[in-house]
Amino acid sequence: MKRLFPIFLSVLLVLSALPGMQASAQESINKEMQSVIDQGIIQGHADGTYKPQGSVKRGEFATYLYRALQLPE
């Protein structure tokens, strides 16, 4: 057990030093967000902006589900 801890820390240190992992995750989020916008599920605010880090109210979330699932009125 005492040998595994330094090995684990070494692997963690090497993995954290690899470039591009965070950038590719952000790239994926941007592609997914753009896909949802293109499908008309999410529409921006009145000023035309999108706030992906902002909070979503209950009614907004219900609207997103309604649009995504294409429910009848």
Side-chain angles (χ1 to χ4, degrees), residues 43-51:
Q43 298 172 353
H45 294 275
D47 60 357
T49 60
Y50 296 93
K51 299 177 183 174

Side-chain angles (χ1 to χ4, degrees), residues 5 9-10 12 14 16 19-20 22 25-26 28-34 39 42-43 48 50 55 61 70-71 73:
F5 189 68
L9 287 179
S10 299
L12 188 61
V14 169
S16 67
Q22 188 175 11
Q26 182 65 30
S28 175
I29 291 171
N30 288 340
K31 288 180 184 177
E32 291 170 359
M33 180 87 172
Q34 188 60 48
Q39 293 175 23
I42 294 178
Q43 298 172 353
Y50 296 93
S55 62
F61 184 72
Q70 299 174 350
L71 298 174
E73 291 189 22

Side-chain angles (χ1 to χ4, degrees), residues 47-70:
D47 60 357
T49 60
Y50 296 93
K51 299 177 183 174
Q53 300 299 327
S55 62
V56 176
K57 294 182 176 40
R58 187 182 312 161
E60 292 172 329
F61 184 72
T63 302
Y64 299 157
L65 285 177
Y66 169 78
R67 291 177 187 156
L69 298 175
Q70 299 174 350

